[in-house]
Each structure stands twice: as C-alpha cells, then as structure tokens.
Amino acid sequence: MSAARPVHAPQTLFPVADGCLLVGGIPLPRLAQRVGATPFYAYDRALLDARVAHVRAHLPPEIALHFSMKANPMPALVQHMAGLVDGIDVASAGELKVALDTGMAPEHLSFAGPGKRDAELLQAVAAGACVHAESEREVRALARIQAQTGIAPRLVLRINPDFELKGSGMRMGGGAKQFGIDAEDAPRVLALAAELELEVLGFHIFSGSQSLKAEAIVQAQAQTIELALRLAEASPHPVRILNLGGGFGIPYFPGEQALDLAPIGEALAAALPRLRAALPQAQLSIELGRYLVGEAGVYVTRVIDRKVSRGQVFLVTDGGLHHHLAASGNFGQVIRKNYPVAIGNRMADGERETLSVVGPLCTPLDLLADQMELPAADVGDLVVVFQSGAYGRSASPQGFLSHPEVVEVLV
Ligand SMILES: *Cc1c(COP(=O)(O)O)cnc(C)c1O
C-alpha cells in the first residue's frame, strides 16, 4: 500500500464568490480589468493587517516587530507595512530610500547585508539609520565616516552565530559564512570599535529562514539569547539593541503545514525576565519577511494557449519564471515542487484534469505547475499562484527574454 500523496495546505485566506477568487474584495476578472494587463502581482491589504495582528497576538508586547523589506520592496506595500510594524530592515541603500520615504523614524530602520560600499554606509549614517556592520572593514569605514562627518553612527554588530536554525530553508548562520562577524571574533571587534571611539549599540543575530518547525525556532531563539548574554559581557557599553532574528516560514509545498506561533511566543515570554535583568536597556526585536507578506500576495497570469502534447495538457501563460522565479523552482530549491496554484475564475467545483502550467520562455525551466490536478481551463482563464507576496517580482530575472515587466498592485 502506498502512502497518500501529500497535498498543499488549503488556501483559505482569499475568499471565493461566484466561482471567482476575491483579492482585496475584488473578483479576480474585475481586478484584471482594473489592472489593465496580465500578468500581475496583487497584495491584499486586509491580509497584511491580519497577519501582523496575528504575530502581535502571540509575541510579548516588549518585542518589536520589524519587516525585512527585501521580501517585498514594492513602495506602496512598504508604506503600508510602515504603519503596522515597529521597524524596517533594509539590505541596500536603494531599500533604505524606500524605507525613509515611508516616514518611519530613521532610528527604527536598520541596514544589514554583506559588502556595503562606503557610499552606502555614509548614506545610512547621514540618515540616522542603524548600520549592522558585517565585518571589521565596515567598522573601520564607519569610524572614518564618524571622523569626517562628526555624526556618530548607530552601530550594531551583525553576528554569525555558532549554531543554525534547524530545518531552515536557506542557511544564513553557523559555520563559515559571508554574513556577520563570527561570534568568537566579536570580542576582538568590540575592542576595535572602542579603540576607534565607536559606540556599539547592540547585536543582530540571524540564524536562518523559512522554518515551519516551532521547536526549531524556539531552540534557535534560546541559543540566540545565550549568545547575546555572552556578547553583552564582552561589550564596553550597555546593550541597547538586540535583534533576535526571525526565520518564521510559510507553507509552500505539498505536505507542509502552517507554523504554530504559540510555543514561540510562550518561550519568548518565559525568557524575558532574564533578558530584562541582564540587559535592562535593550530594545528587543524580531525581523520577519515572508511570514508577514508572503501569504497576502498572488501572482496572476492569463492562459494564452492550451496544448496537448502526447497526451499531456499544457496551459501556456503570459507569465512565468521571468516574473516568478521561486514558483518555477529555480530560487534555491533543491528539488522542484509545485507552489499552490488555482484557476482564479473557476474556483467552484467542476470538471478537473491533470495539467501543467508553463510560461512563454524558451526553456523547460519555465514551469509554474507540473502535472497538477486543476479545473479544466482554457485560453483567457486566469492562473493564480498563491504564496507569492514575498521574493516574487524583485527576486526574478525580468530581463530574460525581453517580455513586458510585471505590474504590482496593493488592493
Ligand atoms: C532575508 C533576511 C530576513 C528575512 O527572511 P524571511 O525568510 O523572508 O523572513 C531576515 N533577516 C535577515 C538578516 C535577512 O537577510
């Protein structure tokens, strides 16, 4: 007997009316008319609001919630998020500009990422944003900027921890990494910063991303807190900023289940008394990207052609991997799996068939759904890729094959 095939977690966030998916309360065909073209990304404001409220309901109120805007840098979306979260984490001077334009106070912005150019460091210092130094070179560059401008940088050290978030989609901590200063090297860099007359405000410890296991996140957070307490002992100044990382995942593939925040919130609440006693001046924060925005977005593309090749049905759409690399399976996945996909104007029960959804690019990699069971669809129908609010447009090679750029709307 074979085990039941794993299925996608049900997509129930977007309501359905008269057989059509509603995004921002608008039936999808109507939204497509309003946008004026396919393909497009649509992000639902109400779902963004609900997700932030859900996180806040579980986290202790003392823990600030930051949005990692590289997950979705659309300016209107970042503006909306700025009204919901306590801080925005940026990864380039370009993102810093968008974050500053929201009006969020600069001390609630933080700039992390390897290889920051001196000009970008100067922009961040001039803005008054926190700069998360990832190397000794960045610390020395910040000291020069302080000497030249007379502005004290809001310096935080990004630490490469000596552990990693287990089962994490992308490993970004532990072992040899280009991110952050190795934890064991931190005391030396703290001494260097003191010698250069820089005040280190605190630490940023990010141990991984896209985890769906609450226990793994609880464990990584416990290790993060232990490491932060050790680093605080080596710091000549009181810790004012402690970013505990994030790593909350969303279910993309068959068999994956939504992350349970309750145990994470409980463990953080239990750790708070000790943190408050040891680091009384520290503002604690966590940083989330895809967890806040990923499930609030869909990618919508129209069927241009329907073909049958040696018995297999292919829907050829006007969108594909050039807009949505991750859904094609080419953004860090080891084994290609289907994102949840639907026919957005045929949501009611009806005839179903096994079909593949492919894009218009001349490469077999341009695959949005590989032999999925979907409603029988035809030219003109709207294919919806769920879980598309993060790492979509900005993480895709739009120039590849010179097709039109994808539109984004916030509804
Ligand atoms: C990319 C990144 C994040 C966001 O990761 P998600 O998986 O989208 O939550 C958070 N922190 C740092 C340092 C990052 O580089």
Side-chain angles (χ1 to χ4, degrees):
M1 242 174 63
S2 67
R5 255 173 84 200
V7 295
H8 284 111
Q11 293 295 321
T12 53
L13 293 178
F14 294 92
V16 171
D18 299 328
C20 291
L21 197 73
L22 303 183
V23 180
I26 305 172
L28 201 62
R30 173 84 178 257
L31 181 60
Q33 288 170 336
R34 178 184 126 169
V35 173
T38 50
F40 60 90
Y41 280 97
Y43 314 118
D44 188 312
R45 280 191 173 84
L47 292 181
L48 295 170
D49 297 350
R51 181 50 66 98
V52 171
H54 174 71
V55 174
R56 292 221 190 256
H58 284 96
L59 284 187
E62 294 94 323
I63 298 190
L65 175 61
H66 287 207
F67 172 48
S68 293
M69 72 167 271
K70 82 169 189 285
N72 191 325
M74 181 204 189
L77 180 138
V78 178
Q79 181 75 57
H80 186 78
M81 295 305 289
L84 300 174
V85 299
D86 308 305
I88 301 178
D89 295 346
V90 307
S92 69
E95 289 191 355
L96 177 63
K97 181 198 179 297
V98 173
L100 285 166
D101 284 347
T102 65
M104 169 85 70
E107 63 267 27
H108 298 143
L109 307 181
S110 59
F111 181 12
K116 297 182 205 70
R117 285 168 281 131
D118 287 4
E120 289 180 295
L121 291 169
L122 173 59
Q123 283 177 274
V125 171
C130 298
V131 180
H132 292 199
E134 309 242 353
S135 70
E136 183 180 321
R137 183 199 64 83
E138 289 189 354
V139 172
R140 289 186 186 278
L142 288 167
R144 280 198 303 277
I145 289 168
Q146 174 168 258
Q148 281 159 12
T149 62
I151 311 166
R154 295 181 60 79
L155 168 60
V156 170
L157 297 187
R158 164 94 178 264
I159 303 298
N160 175 26
D162 42 9
F163 56 88
E164 64 190 349
L165 173 56
K166 299 252 163 47
S168 159
M170 269 186 215
R171 301 236 162 115
M172 294 183 70
K177 289 284 179 305
Q178 73 268 51
F179 307 111
I181 293 159
D182 288 347
E184 55 279 21
D185 218 16
R188 190 181 63 75
V189 178
L190 282 166
L192 171 73
E195 201 179 297
L196 295 170
E197 294 176 11
L198 287 166
E199 184 179 347
V200 174
L201 298 181
F203 304 100
H204 172 200
I205 304 169
F206 181 73
S207 60
S209 188
Q210 179 51 23
S211 174
L212 291 169
K213 295 202 174 68
E215 325 83 81
I217 292 174
V218 167
Q219 193 199 341
Q221 283 177 341
Q223 289 174 295
T224 299
I225 289 166
E226 293 308 320
L227 174 56
L229 294 173
R230 270 185 280 139
L231 293 168
E233 282 172 21
S235 181
H237 302 284
V239 174
R240 294 174 196 280
I241 292 177
L242 178 57
N243 179 326
L244 299 165
F248 298 13
I250 60 172
Y252 288 106
F253 304 121
E256 293 184 344
Q257 304 288 322
L259 175 66
D260 180 7
L261 295 192
I264 300 170
E266 283 159 22
L268 282 172
L272 273 184
R274 195 166 150 229
L275 276 169
R276 254 191 241 114
L279 314 174
Q281 301 191 40
Q283 171 63 65
L284 307 172
S285 61
I286 62 162
E287 48 175 354
L288 301 176
R290 76 186 78 221
Y291 192 79
L292 297 183
V293 298
E295 302 198 65
V298 289
Y299 177 62
V300 180
T301 175
R302 198 180 290 279
V303 179
I304 298 295
D305 204 350
R306 179 193 156 94
K307 298 177 61 172
V308 180
S309 168
R310 306 210 162 106
Q312 272 192 45
V313 181
F314 292 88
L315 300 178
V316 187
T317 62
D318 56 7
L321 83 71
H322 55 311
H323 296 158
H324 203 334
L325 189 65
S328 76
N330 295 293
F331 188 62
Q333 294 97 322
V334 180
I335 302 166
R336 192 196 175 284
K337 294 180 190 146
N338 290 325
Y339 267 48
V341 166
I343 308 298
N345 56 314
R346 293 182 190 269
M347 300 297 292
D349 287 339
E351 194 199 328
R352 295 174 79 82
E353 63 181 4
T354 299
L355 49 80
S356 295
V357 180
V358 299
L361 307 191
C362 300
T363 160
L365 299 177
D366 193 7
L367 183 59
L368 292 177
D370 186 17
Q371 305 202 46
M372 284 180 84
E373 201 194 271
L374 288 169
D378 212 334
V379 173
D381 285 335
L382 295 168
V383 173
V384 172
V385 182
F386 292 105
Q387 309 297 77
S388 296
Y391 305 106
R393 193 202 71 91
S394 70
S396 301
Q398 288 215 67
F400 189 37
L401 270 94
S402 304
H403 284 287
E405 295 221 335
V406 68
V407 178
E408 291 178 292
V409 290
L410 178 67
V411 283

